[in-house]
Amino acid sequence: MIPAARPEIGDEERAAVDRVMRSGMLAQGPEVAAFETEFSSIVGGMHSVAVNSGTSALHMAFLAAGVGPGDEVIVPSFSFAATANSVALAGATPVFVDIELDYFATDPSAIEAAITPRTKAIMPVHLYGHPANLVAIKAIAEKHGLLLFEDAAQAHAASVDGIPVGAWGIAGSFSFYPTKNMTSGEGGMITTPSDEVARLSRVLRNQGMERRYENEVVGFNTRMTDIHAAIGRVQLTKLAGWTAKRQENAAFLSANLEGVVTPPTAPGAVHVFHQYTIRVVDHDRDAFAEQLTQRGVGSGVYYPTPIHRLPSFRLDLDLPITEVATTQVLSLPVYPSLSQGELDQIVEAVNAVAKAGA
Ligand SMILES: *Cc1c(COP(=O)(O)O)cnc(C)c1O
């Protein structure tokens, strides 16, 4: 069985963990500081602040930039729940908008239509590793005086017009969950051009204090450990090679799959293929996935229910493209360790199921 995801942990990661264990400095320390400095290099030199998850990164970034009660934040409903949870956890209200079907990305015209006097921020999601239309969305943010956040949890080193994701607005948030393009076990990173947002993020992750026992605000413990940072530092050195392999695998799949809609890349965008997501249009998607499983090919549906319809939000909204996407999307294996034999097997299985009808 070819699994839907396969995290890569090598000897270097194990050695890095051992080094930290031997040092006796386990909590946030020199490895975290080094990881932050090194991560800044893939976001065009922004400040980087490491935390214990991608969700914490989103949450701390909103609080540090002053998003809170009474504010509305425009987000897509076609995403992982953490996108909207973080808005709600900051005390603000997520306002859900529709996507563009081609790139599964937040639709700029839907954003503009959702702006009210209470709108404080926009947060597109770079879903599956394909960057949202940042040129258009940044222009909307500037025109209306709104803060631009990026949920870049799935898009390490993706870019638009040569500018990396996480560097377009007031803050970007990345995740290092095991199935993401790089991992630290669990972990997240806030990126920001703002000295003050960076400082406040550091304060908030550490009980609200910059200097020990001089707590200035009510804060959290969302620190990253040196153990996790050591893993992340090793993975960061491998990211460029892995991304190239993901792009190569995706190109092979797109050149050979038949009977399904393969994922295009927008002009000017660099897609880092966290997921390789096809649309199953002529068959029942779930039956299609079941047939793939029987042929030894794992797949995933991200996400079967739009966030606004989850019991945690339960809103009655009309987001037709989002509804179509939830019934059609199917993510195939694309990770760097796939062999040519496995790629061939994926192509044969998909083409056979598409042809047979499911
Ligand atoms: C993974 C993910 C998150 C949350 O990251 P965690 O590290 O799991 O907390 C947020 N948004 C999106 C789009 C994600 O895929």
Side-chain angles (χ1 to χ4, degrees):
M1 185 77 192
I2 305 172
R6 193 152 64 194
E8 317 255 352
I9 300 290
D11 290 341
E12 299 91 339
E13 283 88 336
R14 275 186 285 275
V17 169
D18 196 50
R19 187 180 72 234
V20 174
M21 302 288 254
R22 285 171 199 280
S23 80
M25 294 178 64
L26 306 185
Q28 182 186 292
E31 294 283 341
V32 169
F35 186 28
E36 291 176 339
T37 302
E38 290 156 10
F39 196 83
S40 288
S41 69
I42 71 159
V43 287
M46 300 282 122
H47 296 285
S48 295
V49 180
V51 288
N52 61 354
S53 73
T55 306
S56 294
L58 292 163
H59 184 192
M60 302 298 106
F62 283 132
L63 294 178
V67 173
D71 295 333
E72 293 177 352
V73 179
I74 298 172
V75 294
S77 183
F78 191 60
S79 182
F80 183 50
T83 300
N85 286 350
S86 59
V87 175
L89 287 169
T93 304
V95 172
F96 297 101
V97 297
D98 219 341
I99 53 167
E100 304 172 306
L101 196 53
D102 283 351
Y103 309 116
F104 308 110
T106 322
D107 182 346
S109 63
I111 291 173
E112 199 142 30
I115 293 171
T116 76
R118 287 165 55 152
T119 307
K120 174 94 172 194
I122 306 170
M123 185 168 72
V125 179
H126 308 312
L127 200 68
Y128 307 143
H130 188 293
N133 186 343
L134 285 164
V135 173
I137 294 170
K138 189 180 167 82
I140 293 168
E142 281 171 357
K143 179 173 155 198
H144 296 272
L146 305 174
L147 295 172
L148 173 59
F149 292 82
E150 296 171 72
D151 183 340
Q154 303 186 355
H156 317 69
S159 62
V160 177
D161 294 345
I163 300 172
V165 303
W168 282 76
I170 188 65
S173 297
F174 294 82
S175 166
F176 306 121
Y177 184 74
T179 58
K180 301 290 159 83
N181 287 26
M182 60 173 284
T183 185
S184 61
E186 291 268 15
M189 195 74 80
I190 301 157
T191 58
T192 177
S194 158
D195 295 348
E196 186 55 11
V197 170
R199 191 192 77 84
L200 262 177
S201 298
R202 291 178 200 284
V203 165
L204 286 165
R205 78 175 166 185
N206 191 30
Q207 309 287 5
M209 57 188 182
E210 189 166 12
R211 272 178 305 206
R212 189 178 288 225
Y213 310 135
E214 295 181 20
N215 310 57
E216 55 180 278
V217 292
V218 175
F220 301 80
N221 175 359
T222 51
R223 295 182 300 256
M224 178 179 276
T225 73
D226 260 27
I227 302 168
H228 294 90
I231 300 170
R233 290 182 68 195
V234 174
Q235 294 253 317
L236 185 60
T237 66
K238 302 178 178 179
L239 179 67
W242 283 338
T243 300
K245 198 73 181 47
R246 284 176 181 275
Q247 291 163 337
E248 231 174 82
N249 291 345
F252 179 82
L253 293 173
S254 289
N256 290 285
L257 294 180
E258 290 160 10
V260 296
V261 181
T262 58
T265 299
V270 171
H271 189 340
V272 296
F273 290 99
H274 169 59
Q275 300 291 346
Y276 180 88
T277 304
I278 59 171
R279 284 195 292 119
V280 178
V281 177
D282 301 328
H283 305 76
D284 177 81
R285 189 269 321 277
D286 293 335
F288 196 101
E290 179 52 36
Q291 296 281 318
L292 289 183
T293 306
Q294 284 172 20
R295 289 163 192 267
V297 175
S299 60
V301 175
Y302 313 106
Y303 297 89
T305 308
I307 303 174
H308 75 274
R309 286 206 279 109
L310 292 170
S312 43
F313 289 99
R314 213 192 291 280
L315 294 169
D316 188 14
L317 303 173
D318 187 25
L319 303 177
I321 309 296
T322 294
E323 298 295 344
V324 167
T326 57
T327 64
Q328 294 185 344
V329 292
L330 191 63
S331 297
L332 303 174
V334 74
Y335 40 84
S337 65
L338 284 173
S339 67
Q340 186 57 48
E342 288 174 323
L343 285 163
D344 291 338
Q345 187 183 337
I346 295 164
V347 167
E348 279 161 32
V350 170
N351 290 356
V353 175
K355 202 169 212 165

